Amino acid sequence: MPEGDTIHRAASRVGAALVGREIVSIETPQPRHRLDRWPERLAGRAVRAVDARGKHLFLRFDGDLTLHSHLRMGGQWSVYRRGERWRKSPRRAWLVIRTPEHDVVQFDGPVLELVTDSRTRFDQALAGLGPDLLADDFSEERFLRRLREDDQTRAFGDALLDQRNVAGIGNIWRAEACFLARVDPHRPTAEVSDEQALTAVRAIQPRMRESVAGGWPEPWVYKRAGRPCRRCGEAIRSGGLGDDNRTVYWCPGCQS
Ligand SMILES: [Zn+2]
């Protein structure tokens, strides 16, 4: 699943290709959107801004129209130079925006909506989102409040994945966050102190920013099951966790 840092990186690439550029065409090839008439409604409008909130991406057009996208599993935004061969099948494209220089394509992204009415609808959709760890105005206080309002018997590693507590953390970063805070991801949230919870998010924030900038920090535990912990030498373990049983990685030696 695309994580928050992936979406922020996509937003800056898509923004560079679209903001202030002439839009030659907008296509919505999937049958589900055939009757939406977006190309007609967006014709002649410039893209003002492209931004991300958690795992949501927004293309803001002139005239208070916004395209809201959420990629779910496997979705992707790609930017190609005009004439460059796409690396995925055109059949998987949901949205194609062409400028004189670029094709901007959203692949495999089933959540796509055009929002009117001065943002009313997506404000509602976003109302449930916790503070975005990658936003400049990330509020630690709001994160802690959301975390404590959640079920305190829930495993901390599961609570970190819930976008209502903190937006932008996916499976990679929740494992790394727990490791860096020395907290076993199975530990009930009630037994994780505020200080430990903050240590977890503070530790991954700069790594996620590095990833937005195109770097890829070497993981401590993610996908390292069976290999020695680089902090204590114990073998890293893995197993399913939480409501959706997604695989989590941890070190039994230095996370308790
Ligand atoms: Zn260890």
Side-chain angles (χ1 to χ4, degrees), residues 2 4 24 55 101 103 113 116 119 195 200 203 210 224 241:
V24 174
K55 296 174 183 173
E101 294 86 23
D103 294 342
E113 58 171 354
T116 52
R119 301 142 77 147
E195 197 51 45
E210 189 183 334
R224 294 195 71 242
L241 175 70

Side-chain angles (χ1 to χ4, degrees), residues 196-217:
Q196 286 169 318
L198 288 179
T199 300
V201 293
R202 285 173 186 159
I204 55 166
Q205 194 181 43
R207 287 172 171 78
M208 289 176 71
R209 287 191 196 284
E210 189 183 334
S211 170
V212 171
W216 181 241

Side-chain angles (χ1 to χ4, degrees), residues 179 182 221 228-234 236 251-255:
F179 177 84
R182 295 178 184 260
V221 290
C229 171
R230 284 191 270 120
R231 193 159 58 191
C232 76
E234 281 280 326
I236 303 296
C251 172
C254 58
Q255 289 175 261

